[in-house]
Amino acid sequence: MTDQPRLTLSLTRYLTALSLFCALALPGPAAYANPAVSGPPGTVRLESWLREKSQVYLRARIVEAALAAVGTPYIWGGSDPDEGFDCSGLVQFVYRQAAGIPVPRVARHQKRQGKPVRRTQLREGDLVFFNTRRNPASHVGIYIGDGRFVHAPSRGSRVRIDSLDDDYWSKRYTWARRYLDDAPARPA
């Protein structure tokens, strides 16, 4: 019982010091209110910083959810981890569960949304499309970085990680789409 007042006093001092530091070290709200006004040299506008961090967070959640699905059976038309996934069902499930972003159910519709992305500019969470059935959007996967993607490849297989540089996938790669830049951040 005697330690409680001391702990409260320490916490109060810490919070006061933190508040004082923030008040002195950071520019005031007026510096962030007008997009044309930036903070002092060497600072990043708070709004941009928060938007960037929320996108990094969402990308990480999407990659984590995609990796968690590795090993799930392939089921044509599947969009549930208990039953199985097909390629577009995996994408739809991961985006909805990890980021709260609605994505169309079918690969050819998924490719119509989002922003086009060059292969050299892929970022984690981007969708990668392949021509596996004489259709440029007949297969889709989720890019996880380092030239790799998670996907539900075909009947009789399981969700797995493959490389964009594998001969098979490299020859069939068509394009990529980015859904995250315009996505609102979902609360954790």
Side-chain angles (χ1 to χ4, degrees):
M1 290 285 260
T2 58
D3 289 338
Q4 189 174 12
R6 185 178 292 155
L7 178 63
T8 304
L9 184 59
S10 297
L11 182 59
T12 304
R13 285 182 183 162
Y14 172 76
L15 291 175
T16 303
L18 181 62
S19 298
L20 183 60
F21 170 77
C22 288
L24 295 174
L26 298 175
Y32 303 113
N34 183 348
V37 176
S38 61
T43 64
V44 178
R45 289 195 348 244
L46 181 60
E47 185 178 313
S48 296
W49 183 82
L50 289 172
R51 187 178 309 118
E52 178 186 329
K53 294 303 176 194
S54 68
Q55 294 304 307
V56 169
Y57 172 74
L58 286 178
R59 288 182 185 286
R61 285 183 55 104
I62 287 170
V63 168
E64 179 182 9
L67 291 172
V70 169
T72 304
Y74 178 95
I75 300 291
W76 176 261
S79 59
D80 179 83
D82 296 327
E83 298 292 322
F85 292 112
D86 67 7
C87 64
S88 58
L90 172 66
V91 167
Q92 183 186 48
F93 176 83
V94 165
Y95 265 71
R96 183 181 60 240
Q97 290 300 113
I101 298 173
V103 173
R105 174 61 184 87
V106 181
R108 71 176 176 273
H109 296 151
Q110 291 173 352
K111 70 132 175 133
R112 293 180 188 155
Q113 294 186 2
K115 293 180 182 179
V117 180
R118 292 185 179 146
R119 185 172 172 170
T120 57
Q121 297 175 333
L122 284 170
R123 294 175 63 193
E124 291 84 356
D126 289 344
L127 302 186
V128 287
F129 293 86
F130 304 89
N131 183 347
T132 58
R133 294 187 181 158
R134 298 182 191 164
N135 172 347
S138 54
H139 189 66
V140 62
I142 301 170
Y143 186 73
I144 61 170
D146 296 324
R148 300 175 307 151
F149 65 104
V150 173
H151 65 122
S154 60
R155 289 185 180 138
S157 66
R158 295 181 174 273
V159 174
R160 70 180 189 224
I161 300 169
D162 275 318
S163 172
L164 291 172
D165 295 327
D166 286 350
D167 195 42
Y168 180 86
W169 297 112
S170 181
K171 288 178 182 176
R172 288 165 177 78
Y173 177 86
T174 53
W175 54 67
R177 289 288 188 266
R178 181 167 293 157
Y179 277 72
L180 287 174
D181 283 345
D182 296 325
R186 175 181 150 181

